[in-house]
Amino acid sequence: KKPTRRRPRWPSRITPRLVSRLRQYVLVICENYRTVPYHDVEHAYHVFLSANKLLDLLLREGGRRRAGPTFGIKSDPLAQLAFLFSALVHDVDHRGISNRQLVLESDDLAILYNDQSVAEQRSLAVAFAVWMMPEYGVLRGVLFDEDAALEEKKKDDDRNRNRNNNREEHFKFRKLVIDLVLVTDIASPERTQIVKSKWKEAFGEVILTANLNQRKGTKRGGGSGGGGGGNDGD
């Protein structure tokens, strides 16, 4: 008789109540997607699945392909969470109208967000307004308060230090999500330029090195091929 494989146990803080709150949050966000061309809940579903697949490919180990650099993402669960969270909420409450048109019509959202990435800012406002509701406090507590169960055994100064760290984690999470959603405003020249600059800063040296290595390999291959051709001609 083959031994049965035990499923990995969830951490004790992942309770049915927590899972229920997470499911509720996802449903509320999905319900806030409007029935409009393209920027609807089906689009959000596709983007989320694609983001999850990209993250899975980035973090996967083993297989035929040699693991490449993940630029810190593999060791940063908060960045992974922010990536997927952003995919879920990035177009919530989108009106199906371009930012340019909203600005030209002096739409109330354009006035509210000063003509800057109007739809994206609206999506962020809706996502975080729901996120900060009291009923999702249990989610925020588990995600950004990992040491809550141990606080009773710690001194007051340690507790205060933990609270500060938790606030910093949540602030970092919000910052990542804001940057990720705003970067989807590809019609903004300013935003596009910022993205290009950040991409060059983060990956420029890596891409340059890869290109140089590829060129060296091509030259070596071309040189040996050329030499072979010459010998055949002789």
Side-chain angles (χ1 to χ4, degrees), residues 57-58 60-68:
L57 289 172
L58 185 67
R60 185 179 298 173
E61 295 181 351
R64 295 181 180 179
R65 296 179 59 188
R66 186 173 58 184

Side-chain angles (χ1 to χ4, degrees), residues 26-71:
V26 173
L27 287 174
V28 170
I29 290 299
C30 289
E31 288 169 357
N32 274 276
Y33 271 86
R34 301 189 180 210
T35 306
V36 295
Y38 189 73
H39 301 281
D40 57 7
V41 71
E42 187 175 352
H43 167 68
Y45 176 73
H46 290 160
V47 171
F48 184 88
L49 285 184
S50 298
N52 187 63
K53 184 61 177 178
L54 286 171
L55 191 60
D56 180 60
L57 289 172
L58 185 67
L59 302 179
R60 185 179 298 173
E61 295 181 351
R64 295 181 180 179
R65 296 179 59 188
R66 186 173 58 184
T70 65
F71 305 100

Side-chain angles (χ1 to χ4, degrees), residues 57-113:
L57 289 172
L58 185 67
L59 302 179
R60 185 179 298 173
E61 295 181 351
R64 295 181 180 179
R65 296 179 59 188
R66 186 173 58 184
T70 65
F71 305 100
I73 296 176
K74 184 175 182 178
S75 59
D76 190 350
L78 196 63
Q80 299 169 28
L81 172 66
F83 184 59
L84 295 177
F85 186 95
S86 302
L88 172 68
V89 307
H90 80 283
D91 270 338
V92 64
D93 201 33
H94 198 293
R95 298 187 175 186
I97 303 172
S98 69
N99 286 336
R100 176 176 171 76
Q101 192 61 34
L102 291 172
V103 171
L104 290 175
E105 295 177 2
S106 295
D107 186 87
D108 56 341
L109 289 183
I111 301 300
L112 179 62
Y113 298 117

